[in-house]
């Protein structure tokens, strides 16, 4: 059970949050210009890696804000939490 | 009563307080402080249960939570009887009733015991190999197995005990209150750290607290006296909460732990009235100190399971702590020095110790020398090869080991009389919680133990669970580790003088040899599951290699004790047999809970009406007073229908439906989700989330909207009203309200943060009464005489803000039934008043309250969908024949692109149609499959029925269905095969009633 440091509220129990899948998948600005394959890439394709993963989380039973998390899925270590709209660190 | 098996010496037993209890129907006496196990042993009761597979007689083996044999059923009340309780953990109280498990008809005469003699036929994997084939025989086997097997009986009535949950946050959690745990808790609390100390026993102090030997001294005091003083000091500290009888069940990530606090299980019926029985502690600790100690291992040799064979440390604890003599002719059998501590302790109490059998060649440690000086005979290089006595140990046979320990030096066999054999196979660090937390172990070759290596969180293991077994090591390493871990400069324990004995030689033989062929022996590794060394060898011969596979095939370690005693032997035997190093075999996964938890503890207060929360509308009391039946919609309790007299559901719904279309009906629609949307970009936002266009919707007008997922599938629907230039109120389905809110927030925060839009959930803020039917206008006119209800002033799909009396109302003229209807929204507190006024005003028009069932029927007559009933996440608006609500002009909206994927544009997708049965009285079953012909193999399923009713207004059965390519099947005959008959249907348009929408403006 993670202890998650909400960027707006501070440390809270995981039960207050929901996970929202992979982060930094931007909705295409002009979907109609995309081929079926390109649209499918956005719509369906998600990474599921053992190791460092970028994720979206929502403090659903708290401030209701979405934020980003970098988590090592092999040991559940939360490496970094940063707000929506902020860029992930390089490397 | 005979208590001649007691020695007077114990500080922990109150001999002035006699306690009466029943075991297997017979009354016994013990003393306050006894466990069921110690009290039974004091009464010379060793036979307490039968093993699982062979039903062999079994006795008390240990003195703690690792007990594999003495598993009992406590209590004979149908509501509060508990199976699988360890007799070694049950503290006796007046009126306690317990009985043996897994024996039938009685522990002394057990019919399953015949399995013991059939055992050559019951090898490892027996259940898998035999009972799985032929499959048809399984039913017959099962009856026999279920009767003879089984670990206890479940209660047959609801649990009457009270349980609860508590959250605890602390700086430092210390698990285990043995000597190192006490040192840790004191160090932490003294340094202003908020500390929680837990121990599964009823007393603090672990094994040291009854260590009376002057071989072990700290600061020139006998170790138990020193520890007692420490505990007294500890109890004076602030910052410290101590919980005994509390067992940590699980250690999850981020130092989140679950523990069970046992509050009343040691109390008599009268004492525990109205008290909480057990509490689940949900602990979040900044730092965790594991001081769970170690478990003594048995030795694996032929027939090592007879009642009277116990761990040497248990024999010692029963004597030292409980003052109980386990045997009159005691022998110890060992591979290390531990047994000598026990032997000397017993000897000094005047208890007979016949000899020690030691598999080592010799030892020059001081404690062994002391035993020799006391005249205790030692058989060096000897092993027990067999034991005798069926229900109680009577004799053992011993032989001299060869140099390599795998066979014998000669063929001489000595038989010794013995009624209690204390076996000592070395100590296993209790690393269960450490590994549960994700910690990685390492194997220490020197004494062949697994110890903590890599810590996944802020935690540390100290004492013997970290592999420190000698007293001086424990004190020094614990002190050093604590200073470092707690970041403190000096400690009370820095310069203590410690006197201890040192073990000088160790020897492990995981499977001791027998003079018999292994196939004829029973060297038990897992007592509870009757897994023997020979089963493990068989599994290896049959090709199993992974320890996880061997475990499951042989069931080693799969009992309620999770193999706390035998797992190391299983690993050792695998390593020896396969030639792989023990450290490389690895351990099996340790899973929570460490000891079994009751269901009561897990659910806490969330039982009965508190199992799940529910929501009620402001009109709820009226519905109850008017005989409504309720249905659950999400967490809402919604009025379902209002039966009158002896009406059935069908009759009530038919009456309600007819009355609404003929005159007027009223529905409590308060549960519909409502989201208040404001901001200068509100219109643009709606454009993006709904399939149709919103920019041109006038203020005071309403519009139906369909919301898709990005995959193009229908997600939710509802009417949204424009209240002002930048202000809308959106309604959602009852069940979808929370999800829609989350989804919209998600898009606003993450995809379109540039939009100036604010969402507020106002579902609970408003109560809604919908009056519909041809007379609804007249009723509303009575309620608000000065409001012009003409179609010109208040047309369909428009909104008025008015007052009924003094109540502010938002009225939408919208319809989900196809009738002229008005949805009146008021501030929730006025809901019941509004409802009653509507009912009063409608009396002369026979206004009929209707529930969700009639609502569903009326909308089905009009062919309106219910998201979630007629859709299932695979339906596009095109599939639903709702192209009219999808804007072609809009450049983009959620899900638009997906409507042009090759898959969503297929002509043969399942599409929404209406169905009419050839026999108009036959009502289809919702979910029934639809086919077009039977001569295919397999028959192709075209789709299924989604909604089905008998329409009282059309006087025939109607149904909505999804059918492959259904759009082009109008008029086609299809079939619905049911269990007993096939129903013929015709595909029709899904709008059954009033296609021209005349009734909306009636
Ligand atoms: Zn938050």
């Amino acid at each position: 059970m993670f202890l998650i440091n909400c960027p707006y509220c501070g440390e809270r129990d995981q039960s207050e949050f929901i996970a929202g899948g992979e982060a930094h998948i931007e909705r295409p600005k002009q979907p109609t210009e995309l081929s079926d394959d390109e649209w499918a890439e956005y719509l369906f394709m998600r990474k599921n890696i053992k190791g460092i993963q970028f994720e979206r989380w929502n403090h659903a039973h708290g401030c209701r804000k979405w934020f980003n998390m970098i988590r090592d899925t092999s040991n559940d270590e939360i490496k970094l939490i940063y707000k929506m709209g902020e860029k992930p660190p390089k490397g | 009563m005979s208590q001649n098996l007691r020695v007077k010496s114990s500080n922990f037993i109150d001999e002035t307080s006699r306690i009466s209890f029943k075991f297997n129907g017979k009354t016994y006496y013990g003393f306050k402080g006894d466990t069921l196990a110690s009290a039974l042993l004091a009464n010379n009761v060793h036979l307490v249960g039968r093993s699982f597979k062979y039903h062999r007689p079994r006795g008390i083996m240990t003195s703690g939570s690792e007990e594999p044999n003495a598993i009992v059923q406590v209590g004979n009340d149908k509501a509060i009887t508990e199976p699988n309780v360890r007799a070694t953990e049950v503290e006796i109280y007046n009126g306690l009733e317990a009985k043996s498990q897994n024996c039938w008809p009685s522990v002394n005469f057990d019919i399953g015991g015949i399995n013991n003699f059939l055992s050559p036929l019951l090898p490892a994997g027996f259940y898998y190999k035999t009972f799985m084939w032929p499959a048809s025989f399984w039913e017959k086997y099962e009856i026999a197995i279920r009767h003879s097997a089984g670990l206890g009986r479940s209660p047959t009535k609801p649990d009457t005990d009270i349980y609860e949950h508590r959250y605890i946050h602390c700086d430092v959690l210390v698990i285990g209150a043995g000597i190192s745990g006490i040192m840790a808790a004191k160090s932490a609390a003294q340094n202003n750290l908020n500390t929680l100390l837990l121990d599964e026993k009823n007393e603090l102090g672990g094994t040291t607290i009854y260590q009376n030997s002057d071989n072990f001294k700290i600061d020139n005091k006998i170790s138990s006296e020193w520890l007692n003083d420490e505990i007294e000091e500890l109890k004076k500290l602030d910052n410290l909460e101590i919980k005994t009888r509390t067992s940590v069940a699980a250690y999850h990530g981020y130092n989140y732990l679950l523990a069970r606090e046992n509050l009343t299980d040691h109390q008599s019926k009268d004492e525990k009235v109205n008290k909480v029985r057990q509490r689940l502690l949900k602990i979040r600790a900044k730092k965790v100190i594991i001081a769970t100690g170690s478990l003594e291992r048995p030795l694996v040799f032929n027939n090592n399971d007879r009642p009277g064979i116990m761990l040497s440390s248990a024999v010692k604890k029963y004597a030292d702590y409980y003052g109980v003599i386990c045997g009159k002719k005691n022998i110890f059998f060992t591979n290390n020095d531990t047994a000598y501590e026990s032997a000397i302790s017993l000897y000094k109490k005047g208890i007979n110790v016949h000899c020690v059998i030691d598999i080592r060649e010799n030892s020059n440690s001081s404690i062994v020398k002391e035993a020799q000086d006391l005249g205790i005979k030692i058989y060096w290089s000897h092993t027990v090869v067999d034991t005798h006595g069926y229900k109680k140990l009577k004799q053992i046979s011993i032989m001299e080991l060869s140099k390599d320990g795998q066979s014998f030096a000669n063929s001489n066999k000595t038989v010794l009389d013995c009624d209690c054999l204390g076996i000592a196979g070395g100590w296993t660090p209790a690393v269960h919680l450490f590994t549960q937390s994700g910690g990685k172990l390492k194997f220490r070759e020197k004494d062949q133990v697994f110890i903590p290596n890599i810590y996944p969180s802020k935690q540390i293991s100290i004492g013997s669970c970290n592999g420190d077994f000698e007293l001086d090591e424990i004190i020094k390493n614990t002190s050093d580790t604590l200073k470092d871990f707690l970041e403190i400069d000096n400690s009370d324990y820095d310069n203590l003088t410690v006197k201890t004995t040192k073990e000088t030689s160790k020897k492990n033989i995981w499977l001791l040899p027998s003079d018999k062929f292994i196939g004829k022996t029973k060297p038990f590794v897992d007592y509870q599951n009757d897994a023997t060394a020979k089963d493990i060898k068989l599994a290896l011969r049959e090709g199993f290699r992974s320890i996880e596979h061997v475990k499951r095939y042989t069931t080693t370690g799969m009992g309620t004790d999770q193999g706390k005693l035998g797992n190391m032997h299983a690993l050792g035997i695998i390593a020896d047999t396969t030639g792989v190093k023990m450290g490389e075999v690895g351990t099996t996964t340790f899973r929570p809970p460490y000891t079994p938890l009751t269901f009561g503890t897990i659910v806490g207060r969330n039982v009965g009406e508190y199992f799940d929360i529910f929501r009620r509308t402001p009109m709820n009391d009226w519905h109850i007073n008017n005989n409504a039946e309720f249905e659950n919609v999400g967490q809402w309790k919604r009025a379902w229908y209002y039966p009158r007299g002896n009406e059935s559901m069908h009759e009530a719904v038919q009456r309600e439906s007819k009355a609404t279309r003929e005159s007027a009906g009223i529905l409590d629609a308060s549960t519909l989700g409502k989201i208040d949307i404001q901001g200068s970009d509100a219109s643009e936002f709606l454009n993006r989330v709904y399939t149709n266009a919103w920019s041109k919707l006038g203020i005071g007008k309403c519009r139906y909207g369909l919301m898709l997922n990005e995959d193009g599938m229908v997600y939710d629907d509802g009417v949204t009203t424009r209240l002002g230039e930048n202000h809308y109120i959106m309604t959602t389905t009852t069940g979808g309200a929370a999800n829609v809110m989350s989804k919209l927030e998600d898009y606003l925060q993450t995809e379109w943060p540039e939009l100036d839009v604010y969402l507020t959930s106002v579902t609970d803020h408003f109560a809604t009464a919908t009056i519909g039917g041809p007379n609804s206008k007249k009723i509303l006119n009575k309620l608000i005489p000065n409001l012009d209800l003409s179609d010109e002033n208040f047309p369909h799909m428009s909104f008025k803000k008015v007052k009924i009396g003094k109540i502010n109302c938002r009225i939408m003229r919208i319809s989900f039934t196809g009738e002229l209807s008005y949805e009146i929204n008021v501030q929730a507190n006025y809901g019941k008043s509004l409802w009653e006024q509507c009912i009063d005003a409608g009396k002369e028009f026979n206004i009929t309250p209707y529930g969700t069932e009639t609502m569903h029927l009326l909308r089905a007559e009009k062919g309106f969908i219910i998201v979630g009933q007629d859709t299932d996440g695979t339906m596009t608006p095109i599939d639903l024949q709702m192209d009219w609500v999808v804007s072609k002009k809009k450049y983009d909206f959620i899900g638009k692109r997906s409507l042009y994927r090759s898959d969503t544009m297929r002509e043969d997708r399942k599409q929404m149609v209406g169905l009419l049965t050839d026999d108009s009285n036959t009502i289809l079953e919702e979910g029934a499959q639809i086919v077009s012909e039977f001569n295919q193999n397999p028959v192709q399923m075209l789709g299924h029925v989604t909604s089905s009713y008998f329409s009282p207004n059309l006087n025939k059965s109607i149904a909505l269905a999804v059918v492959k390519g259904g759009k082009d099947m109008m008029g086609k005959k299809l079939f619905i095969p049911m269990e007993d008959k096939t129903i013929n249907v015709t595909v029709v348009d899904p709008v059954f009633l009033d296609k021209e929408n005349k009734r909306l403006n009636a």
Side-chain angles (χ1 to χ4, degrees):
Chain A
M1 185 86 84
F2 305 165
L3 191 61
I4 298 174
N5 194 6
C6 171
Y8 306 94
C9 310
E11 286 190 335
R12 295 288 190 277
D13 194 279
Q14 186 186 345
S15 55
E16 294 185 14
F17 297 82
I18 54 170
E22 194 181 339
H24 304 298
I25 296 179
E26 202 174 333
R27 186 174 189 273
K29 290 274 182 289
Q30 297 173 314
T32 45
E33 317 282 304
L34 302 181
S35 69
D36 270 11
D37 283 350
E38 287 166 333
W39 179 247
E41 181 67 28
Y42 159 71
L43 195 56
F44 301 122
M45 296 310 187
R46 297 293 182 269
K47 293 192 194 104
N48 184 18
I49 42 180
K50 182 177 180 182
I52 300 294
Q53 185 153 293
F54 294 76
E55 298 175 332
R56 285 155 27 96
W57 284 75
N58 180 229
H59 194 187
H61 303 287
C63 64
R64 301 186 65 94
K65 283 283 195 183
W66 284 91
F67 56 87
N68 296 306
M69 177 190 290
I70 303 177
R71 182 171 69 100
D72 187 335
T73 58
S74 68
N75 61 10
D76 280 341
E77 192 187 333
I78 297 171
K79 300 281 188 189
L80 187 72
I81 283 173
Y82 52 102
K83 292 179 180 175
M84 272 298 151
E86 291 179 358
K87 291 270 176 286
K90 293 243 159 51
Chain B
M1 179 199 70
S2 109
Q3 289 277 348
N4 55 353
L5 293 175
R6 293 269 184 183
V7 280
K8 187 152 178 64
S9 72
S10 170
N11 298 326
F12 306 97
I13 298 295
D14 179 4
E15 294 197 19
T16 61
S17 175
R18 218 171 78 149
I19 284 168
S20 154
F21 66 97
K22 270 188 183 171
F23 182 68
N24 285 336
K26 201 174 160 198
T27 301
Y28 298 95
Y29 296 94
F31 297 121
K32 193 165 173 52
D34 265 326
T35 60
L36 178 59
S38 68
L40 287 172
L41 289 168
N43 284 282
N44 201 20
V45 177
H46 277 258
L47 173 59
V48 292
R50 293 269 176 169
S51 68
F52 186 63
K53 193 157 103 184
Y54 303 132
H55 288 245
R56 284 169 68 102
R58 288 285 166 78
I60 295 155
M61 178 104 199
T62 73
S63 58
S65 61
E66 71 272 32
E67 176 62 35
N69 290 341
I71 305 296
V72 297
Q73 180 104 23
V74 174
N76 68 353
D77 185 300
K78 280 179 178 151
I80 44 178
T81 180
E82 187 177 352
N84 300 331
V85 183
R86 294 148 300 284
T88 48
E89 290 198 299
V90 177
E91 295 173 52
I92 59 167
Y93 51 83
N94 276 310
L96 167 70
E97 287 191 39
K99 62 182 183 210
S100 302
Q101 287 182 184
N102 200 27
C103 53
W104 181 77
S106 79
V107 71
N108 275 300
F109 175 75
D110 177 72
I111 215 156
I114 201 163
N115 285 357
N116 191 24
F117 303 104
L118 295 176
S119 66
L121 306 174
L122 294 168
F126 171 74
Y127 288 85
Y128 295 113
K129 286 171 183 160
T130 313
F131 293 134
M132 290 303 152
W133 187 90
S136 59
F137 273 33
W138 170 244
E139 283 178 33
K140 294 189 179 66
Y141 291 133
E142 195 186 8
I143 293 165
I145 292 171
R146 293 271 179 250
H147 195 73
S148 60
L151 288 166
R153 300 266 174 264
S154 304
T156 51
K157 284 189 170 169
D159 194 343
T160 52
D161 278 323
I162 307 165
Y163 303 83
E164 65 183 23
H165 291 177
R166 182 186 159 194
Y167 289 88
I168 300 182
H169 296 262
C170 58
D171 293 327
V172 179
L173 167 66
V174 182
I175 309 164
I179 185 165
S180 39
I182 295 291
M183 289 168 67
K186 195 173 155 220
S187 302
Q190 270 176 342
N191 284 279
N192 291 324
L193 295 165
N194 172 350
T195 306
L196 176 64
L197 172 65
L198 307 179
D199 196 277
E200 62 179 2
K201 299 260 189 322
N202 58 327
E203 296 262 4
L204 302 178
T207 55
T208 309
I209 205 67
Y210 55 91
Q211 178 59 273
N212 294 320
S213 162
D214 57 13
N215 282 322
F216 302 97
K217 283 188 162 179
I218 305 168
D219 210 8
N220 295 319
K221 291 185 220 168
I222 299 231
S223 58
S224 57
E225 286 169 15
W226 179 84
L227 186 58
N228 237 326
D229 293 347
E230 284 294 302
I231 291 171
E232 289 312 311
E233 291 287 307
L234 179 76
K235 285 179 175 167
K236 289 180 201 153
L237 294 172
D238 298 330
N239 297 327
L240 177 71
E241 186 170 3
I242 301 174
K243 289 190 176 293
T244 53
R245 301 188 177 95
T246 302
S247 165
V248 174
Y251 189 162
H252 297 293
Y254 291 79
N255 282 349
Y256 180 73
L257 298 95
L258 299 173
R260 185 223 44 225
E261 182 182 14
N262 216 333
L263 296 151
T264 62
D265 276 1
H266 59 291
Q267 294 178 343
S268 70
K269 213 171 171 181
D270 295 338
E271 290 169 302
K272 61 182 150 200
V273 172
N274 291 330
K275 288 184 191 162
V276 172
R277 180 192 170 200
Q278 292 174 346
R279 196 179 276 143
L280 185 70
L281 307 178
K282 301 178 173 185
I283 306 163
R284 186 74 81 167
K286 292 205 176 89
K287 295 182 176 181
V288 174
I289 298 174
I290 303 180
T292 45
S294 49
L295 301 170
E296 190 173 29
R297 290 191 296 270
L299 289 160
V300 178
F301 54 97
N302 184 26
N303 287 323
N304 59 346
D305 67 325
R306 299 196 192 283
I309 299 178
M310 306 169 70
L311 295 180
S312 87
S313 58
V315 175
K316 179 175 187 291
K317 181 166 185 183
Y318 285 117
D320 288 355
Y321 188 98
Y322 299 103
V324 171
I325 304 166
C326 293
K328 288 176 180 161
K329 284 171 244 163
N330 294 290
I331 294 180
F332 288 92
F333 178 27
T334 189
N335 66 4
N336 68 90
D337 283 356
T338 309
Y340 294 89
E341 283 180 40
S342 306
I344 290 166
S345 193
L346 260 62
Y347 184 91
K348 286 188 172 168
K349 288 186 171 60
I351 304 169
N352 164 286
V353 177
H354 185 273
C355 62
V356 177
I357 297 150
D358 197 323
I359 69 168
R360 299 176 296 179
E361 279 109 56
N362 58 57
S363 164
N364 52 18
S365 69
S366 59
I367 194 153
V368 172
K369 199 163 175 306
E370 185 184 351
Q372 281 170 321
D373 291 347
L374 291 172
I376 296 171
K377 183 172 169 54
I378 303 169
Y379 288 89
W380 294 109
S381 291
H382 271 68
T383 182
V384 178
V385 293
D386 204 353
T387 66
H388 315 278
Y390 186 58
K391 289 178 193 166
K392 178 76 198 286
L393 182 66
K394 289 195 177 106
Q395 288 176 323
I396 60 170
S397 303
I398 65 170
M399 288 177 75
E400 189 177 346
L401 286 164
S402 63
K403 273 255 171 333
D404 66 0
Q406 298 304 308
S407 57
F408 302 101
N410 53 56
S411 59
N412 298 339
K413 198 189 285 188
T414 309
V415 177
L416 301 169
D417 285 350
C418 169
D419 62 352
C420 177
L421 180 68
I423 52 179
W427 293 82
T428 305
V431 294
H432 307 70
L433 295 173
F434 167 77
T435 51
Q436 273 184 30
S437 77
K440 297 280 179 286
L441 298 167
K442 69 178 172 205
F443 188 68
R444 190 165 71 188
E445 282 293 341
K446 148 183 110 161
D447 52 354
Q448 300 195 299
V449 292
F450 285 98
I451 53 173
N453 187 27
I454 299 167
Y455 293 95
S457 59
K458 278 196 181 163
Q459 56 166 293
I460 202 77
S461 290
I462 54 171
S464 63
C465 70
N466 191 40
D468 294 340
F469 295 117
E470 310 280 11
L471 187 61
D472 54 345
E473 272 174 22
I474 291 172
I475 303 262
K476 171 140 194 3
N477 293 348
T478 298
S479 170
D480 291 349
T481 306
L482 286 173
K483 279 199 287 186
D484 187 42
F485 184 64
L486 298 175
E487 295 165 9
I488 51 182
D489 293 332
N490 43 42
S491 136
D492 291 357
Y493 311 117
D494 276 342
N495 297 304
L496 287 176
T497 56
V498 178
K499 182 191 170 201
T500 184
T501 69
K502 283 279 194 186
E503 192 163 71
T504 53
S505 72
K506 266 191 186 340
K507 182 170 188 173
N508 259 327
I509 301 174
W510 296 110
L511 170 59
L512 290 157
S514 168
D515 58 329
K516 290 189 186 133
F517 171 62
I518 185 170
K520 300 276 179 204
T521 64
K522 285 234 171 52
F524 286 95
V525 172
D526 181 318
Y527 291 83
Q528 195 177 96
N529 275 349
D530 274 346
T532 65
K534 110 188 133 174
D535 292 326
I536 293 170
K537 283 176 174 278
L538 176 68
L540 294 169
R541 270 207 308 284
E542 292 186 0
F544 292 93
R545 282 294 175 273
S546 155
I547 174 68
E548 296 283 1
H549 292 156
V550 173
K551 166 183 163 174
R552 279 157 185 80
Y553 193 58
T554 61
T555 70
T556 302
M558 290 177 70
T560 55
D561 57 335
Q562 295 190 44
K564 290 188 176 75
L565 298 186
N567 277 348
M568 286 299 286
H569 297 94
L571 292 176
I573 291 164
I574 292 170
D576 288 350
T577 310
T578 58
V580 177
K581 278 189 179 158
M582 221 170 139
E584 285 160 23
V585 175
T587 62
T588 53
T589 312
F590 298 92
R591 291 198 171 80
Y594 178 69
T595 48
L597 283 177
T598 58
F599 284 109
T601 310
I602 295 167
V603 299
R605 299 266 181 179
N606 302 320
V607 291
E609 62 178 310
Y610 304 110
F611 180 68
D612 196 9
I613 54 170
F614 50 86
R615 303 166 81 182
R616 287 182 169 140
T617 74
M619 295 80 137
N620 190 68
D621 286 351
W622 191 94
H623 303 324
I624 291 172
N625 293 337
N626 286 271
N627 205 30
E629 292 289 333
F630 288 84
E631 80 166 327
N632 296 328
V633 182
Q635 285 162 338
W636 288 101
K637 300 278 178 198
R638 291 198 74 176
W640 194 10
Y641 59 99
Y642 301 79
R644 287 185 187 162
N646 295 324
E647 266 182 350
S648 67
M649 174 171 170
H650 178 76
E651 287 162 348
V653 170
Q654 296 286 305
R655 172 182 51 74
E656 291 170 14
S657 304
K658 221 162 159 17
T660 302
R661 292 228 192 271
E662 283 173 0
S663 177
I666 180 166
L667 171 79
D668 179 358
S670 307
T671 63
L672 284 182
K674 300 173 217 44
I675 299 172
D676 185 273
I677 302 173
Q678 300 193 44
S680 56
D681 293 318
S683 303
E684 171 60 17
F685 179 66
L686 291 172
N687 270 333
R688 295 187 191 187
V689 301
Y690 277 133
T691 57
N692 45 351
W694 289 80
S695 309
K696 289 181 184 152
L697 183 70
I699 293 170
K701 298 288 187 230
C702 315
R703 183 164 288 174
Y704 173 78
L706 200 57
M707 199 180 288
L708 309 186
N709 259 330
E710 207 68 271
D711 61 6
M713 305 304 158
V714 170
Y715 185 69
D716 202 77
D717 69 346
V719 170
T720 294
T721 303
R722 189 165 194 176
L723 301 172
E725 177 64 29
N726 297 322
H727 190 187
Y728 291 83
I729 179 102
M730 171 189 280
T731 55
T732 73
T733 59
T734 297
N739 291 337
V740 170
M741 181 73 187
S742 296
K743 181 185 159 90
L744 298 185
E745 268 293 338
D746 187 351
Y747 274 90
L748 266 184
Q749 288 182 32
T750 67
E751 299 291 353
W752 308 320
E754 72 280 8
L755 292 187
D756 175 39
V757 176
Y758 302 89
L759 305 177
T760 311
S761 168
V762 293
T763 303
D764 295 306
H765 302 41
F766 291 94
T768 309
T770 302
I771 48 177
N775 284 320
S776 55
K777 193 180 279 185
K778 290 177 191 155
I779 296 168
L780 193 63
N781 187 45
K782 279 181 72 182
L783 289 167
I784 319 167
N786 53 358
L787 178 65
D788 174 5
L789 293 175
S790 67
D791 289 346
E792 293 71 37
N793 185 56
F794 196 177
H796 182 55
M797 298 308 274
S798 68
F799 152 85
K800 293 285 176 208
K801 198 172 164 187
V802 293
K803 284 191 177 199
I804 294 179
K806 287 179 179 169
I807 310 173
N808 287 316
C809 304
R810 288 173 173 177
I811 304 178
M812 285 86 165
R813 183 175 161 189
I814 54 178
S815 176
F816 189 44
T817 59
E819 294 299 318
L820 166 69
S821 52
Y822 299 94
E823 197 183 286
I824 310 170
N825 294 277
V826 295
Q827 202 271 336
N829 295 358
Y830 296 105
K832 189 152 169 273
S833 162
L834 167 76
W835 181 269
E836 284 165 351
Q837 289 187 55
C838 291
I839 296 279
D840 279 351
K843 251 183 198 137
E844 61 178 293
F845 305 102
N846 183 34
I847 193 167
T848 301
Y850 67 89
T852 51
E853 191 64 21
T854 292
M855 173 185 81
H856 288 181
L857 191 164
L858 294 173
R859 64 85 210 183
E861 290 177 337
K862 273 295 285 179
F864 290 155
I865 60 156
I866 291 183
V867 173
Q869 173 158 350
D870 302 296
T871 72
D872 60 1
T874 67
M875 302 296 288
T876 69
I878 319 303
D879 298 337
L880 293 168
Q881 305 214 42
M882 292 175 75
D883 316 43
W884 55 270
V885 78
V886 180
S887 163
K888 300 263 186 319
K889 290 186 197 141
K890 277 202 297 182
Y891 179 70
D892 191 16
F893 55 81
I894 296 173
K896 171 161 177 154
R897 176 60 186 84
S898 290
L899 298 179
Y900 303 95
R901 291 178 58 233
S902 56
D903 184 60
T904 45
M905 286 174 48
R906 274 189 297 118
E907 295 289 321
D908 63 342
R909 288 179 61 84
K910 285 182 185 170
Q911 291 149 353
M912 170 74 47
V913 294
L915 294 180
L916 287 176
T917 48
D918 286 7
D919 169 10
S920 64
N921 285 317
T922 303
I923 304 170
L924 297 173
E925 255 180 52
E926 288 172 359
Q929 293 291 315
I930 301 164
V931 304
S932 63
E933 54 179 306
F934 295 98
N935 296 332
Q936 297 163 315
N937 194 7
V939 174
Q940 201 202 349
M941 301 295 171
L942 290 182
H944 63 275
V945 177
T946 60
S947 293
S948 172
Y949 306 89
F950 186 83
S951 161
N953 301 299
L954 299 161
N955 200 26
K956 65 183 176 192
S957 157
I958 58 167
L960 298 175
V962 291
V963 176
K964 273 185 193 165
K967 258 187 230 179
D968 296 328
M969 285 189 185
M970 291 303 132
K972 192 173 159 67
K973 295 274 181 201
L974 295 174
F975 309 101
I976 298 189
M978 300 302 291
E979 203 171 14
D980 52 343
K981 62 184 170 189
T982 295
I983 303 168
N984 297 352
V985 296
T986 307
V987 179
V988 296
D989 187 276
V991 183
F992 297 97
L993 180 131
D994 186 26
K995 283 193 175 54
E996 306 78 22
N997 292 330
K998 283 183 186 156
R999 307 183 68 91
L1000 286 175
N1001 297 309

